[in-house]
Amino acid sequence: QVQLVESGGGSVQAGGSLRLSCVASGYAARTPCMAWFRQVPGKEREGVASINRRFGSTTSADSVKGRFTISQDNAKNTLYLQMNSLKPEDTAMYYCAAGASDGGFCVRTLRRYNFWGQGTQVTVSS
């Protein structure tokens, strides 16, 4: 049973924008936290941004602050990642994740998330 489905990836030139979407269903639609992670071959998966479903509070990695925005539409069970001013180093497979909080906070720690989407590729050319 597929519970997280991402879309919106693609190829863009540096300085461009993309918006990723993730539709949640089943148990994945009821977890307290959702997040976006990204991974390039040979490197660990890193947390990009997270959001608390109930309060809407967010966190983001320093590398994307001011450029990426995580948001949600709870009525549609959909998570978004608006990516602006994209750089070649943002090239990666992006994953949507749903999981538990850490003391009430939605952190960007891999082990807190037990539901994962299939990933969507983002490629930024210089």
Side-chain angles (χ1 to χ4, degrees), residues 107-118:
V107 297
R108 300 186 307 276
T109 307
L110 209 64
R111 60 181 173 83
R112 286 289 170 184
Y113 295 88
N114 51 345
F115 295 100
W116 293 88
Q118 80 286 357

Side-chain angles (χ1 to χ4, degrees), residues 8-85:
S11 296
V12 65
Q13 287 195 325
S17 298
L18 284 172
R19 188 175 83 153
L20 306 183
S21 300
C22 172
V23 179
S25 61
Y27 290 114
R30 297 195 286 272
T31 61
C33 302
M34 291 197 76
W36 288 98
F37 287 77
R38 66 186 181 186
Q39 188 171 24
V40 296
K43 291 193 174 182
E44 289 188 358
R45 194 169 293 189
E46 65 164 341
V48 175
S50 63
I51 189 165
N52 182 301
R53 265 208 173 97
R54 181 179 178 187
F55 300 109
S57 49
T58 64
T59 75
S60 58
D62 287 344
S63 58
V64 305
K65 270 191 173 74
R67 300 188 299 121
F68 291 11
T69 303
I70 188 171
S71 63
Q72 63 186 354
D73 184 335
N74 286 343
K76 296 181 180 180
N77 285 330
T78 302
L79 178 73
Y80 302 101
L81 185 68
Q82 178 66 45
M83 304 185 294
N84 299 327
S85 301

